Amino acid sequence: MSQAPGSTPAGDQHADVSDVSVGELMTNVMKDLSTLVRQEVELAKAEMKAEAGKAAKGAGMLGGAGFAGYMVLLFLSLALWWGLANVMDQGWAALIVAAVWTVIGAVLYATGRKAIRRVSPKPEQTIDTLQQVRGALKGERP
């Protein structure tokens, strides 16, 4: 079996590259680096696909739990309405339950709005890291 200059047989850790040109060595290094990067990208894609599947399953379960919670609140609201209807008119009992839900909704809205206003759409750490990498490539010191 004949081998190309600069290639190593399987299991041989130290190949004799004394008769291989620098250009050929660089070509081999670049080819190997390109292969490594492609393989790493494929591995990352496979990992992301697996994690996305897990996340989708979890999101579906959370959606089901949210619906179950909604049903619990609906039936508790109906029970409160009927319970209040034992001591007052049904119309007033329904208005009291609706008012309680209005207050809860307003508090949730205000809290959520405040939380959203604190969100920064600009990835500060990523921008900082990219600037450091650009500086390092230019030979600047941090």
Side-chain angles (χ1 to χ4, degrees):
M1 177 187 326
S2 161
Q3 285 187 303
S7 64
T8 60
D12 186 8
Q13 296 295 325
H14 303 288
D16 182 21
V17 293
S18 59
D19 60 340
V20 180
S21 72
V22 172
E24 189 176 346
L25 288 173
M26 290 303 292
T27 300
N28 288 341
V29 167
M30 293 306 288
K31 184 178 73 171
D32 290 346
L33 184 60
S34 175
T35 300
L36 177 63
V37 168
R38 258 195 318 277
Q39 289 173 344
E40 288 299 320
V41 167
E42 289 302 317
L43 177 61
K45 284 181 185 179
E47 286 178 331
M48 292 300 290
K49 186 175 181 180
E51 292 301 312
K54 290 178 191 176
K57 185 176 179 181
M61 289 182 185
L62 286 174
F67 179 72
Y70 168 76
M71 294 303 290
V72 166
L73 288 176
L74 175 67
F75 285 109
L76 285 175
S77 296
L78 288 172
L80 178 61
W81 175 15
W82 288 347
L84 288 174
N86 286 329
V87 294
M88 63 179 68
D89 184 51
Q90 275 194 357
W92 287 109
L95 281 174
I96 291 171
V97 172
V100 167
W101 278 113
T102 300
V103 169
I104 291 170
V107 168
L108 289 173
Y109 171 79
T111 306
R113 187 172 177 211
K114 189 183 299 182
I116 286 175
R117 285 185 174 175
R118 285 187 296 228
V119 172
S120 173
K122 190 175 176 183
E124 299 290 340
Q125 289 180 339
T126 301
I127 291 170
D128 184 48
T129 302
L130 289 176
Q131 288 174 345
Q132 289 176 5
V133 168
R134 183 175 35 169
L137 291 175
K138 289 181 179 179
E140 299 171 2
R141 298 217 178 236

